[in-house]
Amino acid sequence: MENIISGNSKSGQLAPGARQPARAGLAAFVGTMIEWYDFYIYGTAAALVFGQLFFPPGDPFLSRMAALGTFAVGFFARPLGGIVFGHLGDRLGRKKSLVITLMLMGIATVCIGLLPTYQQIGLWAPVALVALRVLQGVAVGGEWGGAVLIAGEHAGRQRRTLFASFAQLGSPAGLILSLLAFKWVTAMEPQAMLDYGWRLPFLASAGLLLIGLLIRLGVNESPEFETSRQQRAASAAPLLEVVRKAWPLLLLCIGANTIGIAGVYFTNTFMIVFTTEYLGLAKSAILACLFYVAFIQFAIQPLAAWLGQRFGAARFLKIAAALAILSPYPMFVLVKQGAASGNAWLMVMGIAICVICMASFYSVIAGFVSGIFETRVRYTAISLSYQVCGAIAGGLTPLIGTMLAQRYHGEWWPLAIFYSLMSAVSLLSVVALDRLRHLHADQA
């Protein structure tokens, strides 16, 4: 395992002129914003309309669960994307992988917007939907690790936490775009929204794809990767090397990412289901609340990254995870009061409490995890850990939340305990990773 953990290697010493931190940070931000926009519009559509459009009519609960099941499929495809593009990124370069993932995501998303419904082609509709969702999952599975590395490796070791957060900032930006798109289409007549309105956010991805490609093509390859390639230090089989030599680190990185991933889909995708189905809130009302919360997340993440860089990533992550354990209880109290009284700002305040803690953790975890592994296996290692966590924690969170809400008739306390447990997993994993890193440093 000592050959995998990052130390003071030569790859960290590069000529300043080889770096493009600002351009690489912009490319990471814009690219991940587009990727997450595509991913989030699927989640929003799954919560709002896919149950009606792509599955047999009948029990609304079963249709809703089926739609959320296709949402989960994308997460289960993400580890495959992490493996494939992690291998390409560690062998051929970060930039090549990132261009391919962006193109794959854009094409799959536009095709979803063109799909016929169940009423038009029967069972072929959900089959095609699942196939395209798998392609989305593969694309985003390869995107995250490359975006974190292209920004973090251009910035260098001393500024890695801050610049790696540019990739994380794409998530709330993509969420804002997706909510804007669905805020617009849900204002349409209900039948028009079902007939064609839901397709418009997916088709708009074509224009975003062209913008993202133009920006990404203008960025140089990662300086650390180029140095590693010149030194012929690339791993012949990065996946095997990581799994065989550093599986404890891999498992801890999976655990560390839990609340940063699961929290997003709990406070967004699942909260749409919970507030509309169990609290009787209008769809437009919860989307408006989530829209304002997304701006709060977008504002808090750069500040959190700066604080994490200044005071130490590990220390900051421990505090953020501890606060995340406590955050769902005031959230549910305020959301329930707001829904009952019609006070939207109570709901915004409640969800924002959770999101501030979760987003602070999410902003810093990328730089912390990427700094653990050596350059030659870094893309594969962080992609696999993040995407396996995404498959488990991200894909299952809306399903488990919906099942708990149904089982306990809309009571919020089992949901709050579920959220706290996920936060505790992240806290314990970060504590263990920090100890292992210090132990390795003492032995070096």
Side-chain angles (χ1 to χ4, degrees), residues 29-178:
F29 166 67
V30 173
T32 52
M33 176 184 69
I34 295 167
E35 293 259 1
W36 285 116
Y37 165 81
D38 291 349
F39 212 70
Y40 283 138
I41 57 174
Y42 190 101
T44 306
L48 292 176
V49 297
F50 277 179
Q52 299 169 255
L53 293 171
F54 288 98
F55 297 93
D59 189 331
F61 174 72
L62 293 179
S63 296
R64 187 163 59 249
M65 289 297 289
L68 290 174
T70 67
F71 177 68
V73 165
F75 285 89
F76 295 128
R78 281 167 62 169
L80 175 61
I83 292 170
V84 171
F85 290 104
H87 181 87
L88 291 175
D90 282 328
R91 295 285 297 161
L92 303 178
R94 287 42 167 144
K95 179 178 175 178
K96 290 183 178 68
S97 284
L98 286 172
V99 170
I100 297 171
T101 59
L102 190 61
M103 290 181 63
L104 184 61
M105 175 63 92
I107 291 169
T109 302
V110 171
C111 287
I112 290 172
L114 298 172
L115 275 182
T117 64
Y118 181 86
Q119 187 178 7
Q120 294 169 317
I121 60 171
L123 288 175
W124 285 110
V127 169
L129 183 66
V130 169
L132 291 171
R133 181 60 175 169
V134 167
L135 289 181
Q136 276 195 324
V138 169
V140 83
E143 163 71 21
W144 180 84
V148 166
L149 295 185
I150 202 76
E153 290 177 352
H154 268 283
R157 192 178 305 278
Q158 298 304 316
R159 298 189 294 171
R160 176 173 287 148
T161 296
L162 180 61
F163 276 81
S165 73
F166 278 71
Q168 306 293 71
L169 194 59
S171 177
L175 178 60
I176 290 169
L177 285 182
S178 71

Side-chain angles (χ1 to χ4, degrees), residues 23 74 81 273:
R23 186 177 295 182
V273 175

Side-chain angles (χ1 to χ4, degrees), residues 17 25 55 78 102 146 158 162-163 165 183 202 213 233 272 281 305 380 398 408 417:
F55 297 93
R78 281 167 62 169
L102 190 61
Q158 298 304 316
L162 180 61
F163 276 81
S165 73
K183 183 178 175 63
F202 291 87
L213 283 175
I272 294 174
L281 201 65
T380 296
Y408 292 97
I417 292 173

Side-chain angles (χ1 to χ4, degrees), residues 107-442:
I107 291 169
T109 302
V110 171
C111 287
I112 290 172
L114 298 172
L115 275 182
T117 64
Y118 181 86
Q119 187 178 7
Q120 294 169 317
I121 60 171
L123 288 175
W124 285 110
V127 169
L129 183 66
V130 169
L132 291 171
R133 181 60 175 169
V134 167
L135 289 181
Q136 276 195 324
V138 169
V140 83
E143 163 71 21
W144 180 84
V148 166
L149 295 185
I150 202 76
E153 290 177 352
H154 268 283
R157 192 178 305 278
Q158 298 304 316
R159 298 189 294 171
R160 176 173 287 148
T161 296
L162 180 61
F163 276 81
S165 73
F166 278 71
Q168 306 293 71
L169 194 59
S171 177
L175 178 60
I176 290 169
L177 285 182
S178 71
L179 290 172
L180 275 173
F182 271 92
K183 183 178 175 63
W184 173 51
V185 299
T186 53
M188 301 169 66
E189 290 294 327
Q191 192 57 49
M193 196 265 196
L194 285 174
D195 287 344
Y196 67 88
W198 69 270
R199 300 180 184 276
L200 300 178
F202 291 87
L203 299 178
S205 182
L208 295 175
L209 171 62
L210 293 176
I211 295 171
L213 283 175
L214 287 173
I215 294 174
R216 278 215 167 146
L217 289 170
V219 178
N220 293 335
E221 181 54 83
S222 153
E224 288 189 25
F225 174 80
E226 289 288 12
T227 300
S228 178
R229 179 160 56 184
Q230 290 167 11
Q231 295 171 350
R232 300 186 183 278
S235 172
L239 175 62
L240 290 177
E241 187 173 349
V242 169
V243 172
R244 287 168 56 188
K245 295 184 178 181
W247 61 267
L249 280 179
L250 198 62
L251 291 177
L252 288 172
C253 287
I254 291 170
N257 276 300
T258 299
I259 195 59
I261 296 174
V264 173
Y265 298 100
F266 190 97
T267 56
N268 289 286
T269 303
F270 169 69
M271 285 302 288
I272 294 174
V273 175
F274 180 74
T275 54
T276 57
E277 299 298 330
Y278 298 98
L279 299 184
L281 201 65
K283 293 175 181 177
S284 58
I286 185 59
L287 287 176
C289 291
L290 293 176
F291 178 69
Y292 290 117
V293 172
F295 274 102
I296 295 172
Q297 181 181 351
F298 186 81
I300 202 70
Q301 283 193 197
L303 175 60
W306 180 80
L307 290 171
Q309 185 75 67
R310 182 173 177 82
F311 297 109
R315 182 185 304 170
F316 184 88
L317 288 168
K318 292 171 191 176
I319 295 171
L323 292 174
I325 293 173
L326 304 175
S327 65
Y329 304 94
M331 176 185 74
F332 276 109
V333 170
L334 290 170
V335 166
K336 196 166 183 180
Q337 289 180 354
S341 64
N343 189 334
W345 291 111
L346 282 179
M347 292 187 287
V348 170
M349 189 186 308
I351 298 173
I353 290 171
C354 249
V355 166
I356 287 171
C357 300
M358 174 274 295
S360 296
F361 184 94
Y362 181 71
S363 181
V364 175
I365 191 64
F368 176 73
V369 170
S370 67
I372 289 173
F373 298 96
E374 279 287 358
T375 304
R376 69 181 188 278
V377 296
R378 188 175 289 156
Y379 199 143
T380 296
I382 70 168
S383 293
L384 187 60
S385 63
Y386 185 87
Q387 304 309 341
V388 168
C389 181
I392 298 168
L396 295 180
T397 291
L399 286 171
I400 294 173
T402 302
M403 291 169 63
L404 286 173
Q406 185 75 4
R407 169 68 177 81
Y408 292 97
H409 309 290
E411 290 290 335
W412 63 263
W413 60 266
L415 301 169
I417 292 173
F418 172 49
Y419 191 97
S420 293
L421 289 174
M422 293 190 292
S423 303
V425 169
S426 286
L427 174 59
L428 294 174
S429 299
V430 168
V431 169
L433 280 170
D434 191 37
R435 288 182 179 177
L436 279 175
R437 191 175 60 170
H438 285 301
L439 179 63
H440 173 72
D442 292 339

